[in-house]
Amino acid sequence: MRVRLCVVGRPRDQELLDLHERYATRIRRCGVAYEQVAVRPVRSRGQYSDEHVRRRESAALLDEWDGRGVLVALHPSGRLWSSDQVAARLEGWATPCLSLLVGGPLG
């Protein structure tokens, strides 16, 4: 079983980084090959529209996806699932590989 978390940017808060590493360690202990990949966020500085930023960041995330296995994109307007619902699907998704894509602040 393999899980890849592809995100836009990295948190600067050390507590968040430590929390992520704590959970990553737990996941790996369960026999899951886990990795996180961060893509560079697009800094608009007022020159780009929000839609342009979303498109560029989405393209960067899709470039990180290796095209194999299941792709799950997390979206703020998506369906909310309980932990039990996610757990019931996780093993099927992660065999051979599950890629979770998480966009930046603009979605």
Side-chain angles (χ1 to χ4, degrees):
M1 201 168 14
R2 183 173 163 222
V3 175
R4 294 183 78 227
L5 177 63
C6 304
V7 299
V8 172
R10 289 189 159 288
R12 294 181 185 179
D13 183 337
Q14 188 59 47
E15 285 182 43
L16 290 175
L17 293 169
D18 292 343
L19 184 62
H20 170 266
E21 192 52 42
R22 183 173 145 200
Y23 280 97
T25 299
R26 287 180 179 182
I27 290 168
R28 289 181 186 115
R29 282 188 198 140
C30 293
V32 175
Y34 172 80
E35 70 175 303
Q36 179 196 6
V37 178
V39 300
R40 184 179 302 253
V42 175
R43 304 281 184 223
S44 74
R45 296 185 185 97
Q47 359 177 201
Y48 305 122
S49 68
D50 289 354
E51 182 58 31
H52 179 81
V53 170
R54 279 191 293 271
R55 272 189 308 221
R56 286 185 52 192
E57 290 177 344
S58 296
L61 286 170
L62 286 172
D63 286 345
E64 283 299 329
W65 179 46
D66 60 12
R68 292 175 295 188
V70 175
L71 171 64
V72 176
L74 306 178
H75 192 278
S77 66
R79 195 171 17 157
L80 183 61
W81 287 1
S82 70
S83 294
D84 290 338
Q85 289 172 310
V86 172
R89 290 171 174 83
L90 188 59
E91 188 171 352
W93 283 345
T95 306
C97 181
L98 164 65
S99 293
L100 298 168
L101 304 187
V102 183
L106 298 175

